[in-house]
Amino acid sequence: MCADNTPFLLLILAIGAGNLVQAAEEPRIIGGQFATPGQFPHQVSLQLNGRHHCGGSLISDTMIVTAAHCTRGQSASQMKAIVGTNDLSAGNGQTMAIAQLIIHPQYNPQSQDFDMSLIRLSSPVQLGGGVQTIQLADADANYAADTMATISGFGAINQNLQLPNRLKFAQVQLWSRDFCNAQNIPGLTDRMVCAGHPSGQVSSCQGDSGGPLTVDGKLFGVVSWGFGCGAKGRPAMYTYVGALRSWIKQNANV
């Protein structure tokens, strides 16, 4: 894992079984709990060559929102999407083929600016029960500092990338632009929002890259990048859905 001043991608560092291991450190308990069936019906597990790779959010019966760094360099034929389960080992979700990966044309893999992709499924999912779409935050959506948001994901629980298969979630606080700005966090842009806990005890290292950050039941952010797991004074960065709302509408008709 990278040093605190070096950004790293949150590819499969995720909500673990209460423990998330950092290199050369003891395991730390930083929160998170198991989701109940149907609690996050919009949650997607993106599978690469049969293994969990990233998170995503179902926004229509054929479209998923995720992070661009989750799909960059990948082939749609090697990826699948699983929806409608809180346990990947249970075999009770819908496994969907992917027809198209649509990476934001302004995505910058060095800075992670415009870190968003859309995924078009080969056929519609069956909506109902544990499979539902999530509403997108409006283009001008904004929230006060310390507003509580929710992250969720299937990701790894330790530095060996051991996957728990079960969906977990945690609460994080949104940071205001007084702290979440390019002066305090070099590289941060208007397409990014910050969330975490000032003490570092809760952070999006507990959530899959590409997975949802929700506020008031709407998709407000997409897990993008950070400086370390549970680093004091270092939030995680999320792609701001409101800033890219028109692009989503143009390409997903949502």
Side-chain angles (χ1 to χ4, degrees), residues 8-15 43-46 52-57 64-71 79 107 112 115 119 151-156 204-213 221-226 236-239:
F8 67 97
L9 297 184
L10 301 173
L11 281 174
I12 36 184
L13 292 174
I15 293 180
Q43 180 76 44
V44 178
S45 168
L46 295 177
H52 176 77
H53 174 61
C54 275
S57 301
I64 293 167
V65 169
T66 188
H69 74 259
C70 289
T71 61
M79 299 185 75
Y107 171 58
Q112 299 308 310
D115 188 14
I119 294 177
I151 54 176
S152 54
F154 288 102
S204 71
C205 281
Q206 299 174 66
D208 280 332
S209 277
L213 172 83
V222 172
V223 180
S224 182
W225 63 280
M237 266 49 72
Y238 299 78
T239 305

Side-chain angles (χ1 to χ4, degrees), residues 219-242:
L219 185 64
F220 185 67
V222 172
V223 180
S224 182
W225 63 280
F227 290 93
C229 298
K232 185 176 181 179
R234 293 285 195 175
M237 266 49 72
Y238 299 78
T239 305
Y240 175 32
V241 169

Side-chain angles (χ1 to χ4, degrees), residues 86-109:
N86 68 321
D87 186 346
L88 296 175
S89 64
N92 58 353
Q94 298 179 46
T95 301
M96 312 299 297
I98 292 172
Q100 185 182 16
L101 306 175
I102 308 171
I103 298 177
H104 197 288
Q106 291 176 268
Y107 171 58
N108 184 325

